[in-house]
Amino acid sequence: MNKVLIISFLTLAFAKGCKPENIQPNEVNFLSERKQDSTYVHIVSNSFAPMEISVGLKNGELKNIHIKNHGLLKSKDTLFKVIIVPNTVIDSIGETKLLRKHITAKFDYGDSKTAVHNDAYVYSLPVAIGKKVRISQGFNGKKSHSSIASKYAIDFDIPVGTEIYAAREGIVVYTITGYKKAGGKAYVKKANKILILHDDGTFAAYSHLMYNGALVKKGDTVQRGQLIGYSGNTGYSSGPHLHFAVRLPKDICVPIYFEGYENKALKKGDHVKRIKIQ
Ligand SMILES: [Zn+2]
């Protein structure tokens, strides 16, 4: 209640300008609160995932600005007084300019201090029950699964428009659905995607989905085995497939195993079938 009252008196400081890096649009708001001598900037989360924040000053010219450099912004929570600026500084350069030109704000999804992948979890294959699919790239795949972020990703060789089912229950952090094209490395940030947060603090990414290919939206609770969207060929991709990866915060990919194939590291050329086990 208190929080709502306070925020209603604040102004939106970052509407334009300083664009938080690494996260989707509209995940955070910067609110400023002017008091007698200083102005306080708070960061408000609109996200369903926790975020680690890193705030800094771009150069050393400005004095007397107090910054809380690092912190954990919990889901839908507020970090108060992240930046404290004397009103004399605000009045001389302006709030928008101060934030845009002098402050850096970096965000990473997840809480790396508490997230630990539940290695006992056996994932459901992300395709329809009874469907047999070929693996086109597995752990440490030479083509594109060598980075920390993709080391243990699995590529499923499936045509555009194939139904995708949640491999594990969780909360939808975001969906990206507006891309239409695929290509080389220039397309690396242009893949449609669903990101789901698990209860152990890890994230599942379902990537290269078709245009408008998500049936879920930010904030939805998703059950294991729920139909969530349609595969495609968007972003950095040489052909239709689903790239599925589970990651710790800071984009650290972890090994995962699927129902029916426990402890088996799937590799290129393997065929797998989702079997309903009840
Ligand atoms: Zn892949």
Side-chain angles (χ1 to χ4, degrees), residues 26-268:
N26 306 316
E27 287 278 71
V28 293
N29 285 324
F30 289 69
L31 298 176
S32 67
E33 181 181 15
R34 190 179 176 107
K35 291 203 168 165
Q36 202 173 5
D37 298 318
S38 296
T39 294
Y40 301 86
V41 179
H42 317 301
I43 304 182
V44 183
S45 166
N46 301 315
S47 181
F48 287 87
M51 284 178 270
E52 287 172 328
I53 70 163
S54 172
V55 180
L57 268 179
K58 272 184 193 163
N59 56 52
E61 286 168 34
L62 296 174
K63 303 284 180 227
N64 304 321
I65 295 184
H66 186 263
I67 291 184
K68 198 187 281 175
N69 295 101
H70 299 283
L72 179 71
L73 179 53
K74 290 181 184 167
S75 149
K76 298 276 176 180
D77 203 359
T78 302
L79 271 183
F80 290 96
K81 300 182 180 177
V82 178
I83 308 166
I84 303 171
V85 194
N87 288 336
T88 49
V89 175
I90 292 271
D91 293 340
S92 68
I93 56 176
E95 188 177 284
T96 306
K97 194 178 169 194
L98 170 81
L99 292 171
R100 195 185 299 173
K101 298 231 167 126
H102 298 278
I103 305 283
T104 58
K106 195 170 168 292
F107 295 76
D108 289 297
Y109 284 115
D111 176 1
S112 57
K113 288 205 175 73
T114 60
V116 181
H117 183 248
N118 173 9
D119 290 334
Y121 193 92
V122 178
Y123 289 77
S124 173
L125 283 163
V127 291
I129 292 168
K131 190 170 180 64
K132 192 176 180 189
V133 294
R134 191 181 144 267
I135 303 301
S136 51
Q137 199 177 178
F139 292 180
N140 299 301
K142 286 192 189 92
K143 203 169 167 196
S144 60
H145 292 178
S146 51
S147 68
I148 301 247
S150 288
K151 221 177 154 183
Y152 301 108
I154 303 286
D155 287 350
F156 295 90
D157 180 13
I158 44 177
V160 172
T162 302
E163 290 178 341
I164 299 301
Y165 294 79
R168 181 173 175 179
E169 61 283 355
I171 296 172
V172 178
V173 179
Y174 64 78
T175 65
I176 300 172
T177 60
Y179 293 114
K180 294 180 175 172
K181 293 183 191 166
K185 283 202 172 148
Y187 284 81
V188 80
K189 289 188 172 165
K190 295 181 176 177
N192 294 330
K193 192 199 259 196
I194 296 172
L195 190 78
I196 293 179
L197 171 65
H198 302 143
D199 64 2
D200 59 8
T202 61
F203 298 87
Y206 302 75
S207 301
H208 310 296
L209 304 180
M210 65 184 264
Y211 174 65
N212 273 343
L215 297 172
V216 292
K217 60 180 190 315
K218 175 176 171 173
D220 283 357
T221 298
V222 166
Q223 302 304 319
R224 172 191 175 90
Q226 182 180 329
L227 178 62
I228 56 169
Y230 298 96
S231 70
N233 182 32
T234 57
Y236 178 32
S237 171
S238 57
H241 73 286
L242 173 75
H243 173 96
F244 178 74
V246 176
R247 299 184 178 109
L248 286 161
K250 315 263 185 205
D251 277 347
I252 300 167
C253 202
V254 294
I256 45 161
Y257 301 94
F258 293 93
E259 197 166 65
Y261 307 89
E262 288 85 349
N263 300 317
K264 180 175 166 56
L266 298 179
K267 61 181 192 307
K268 184 180 175 178

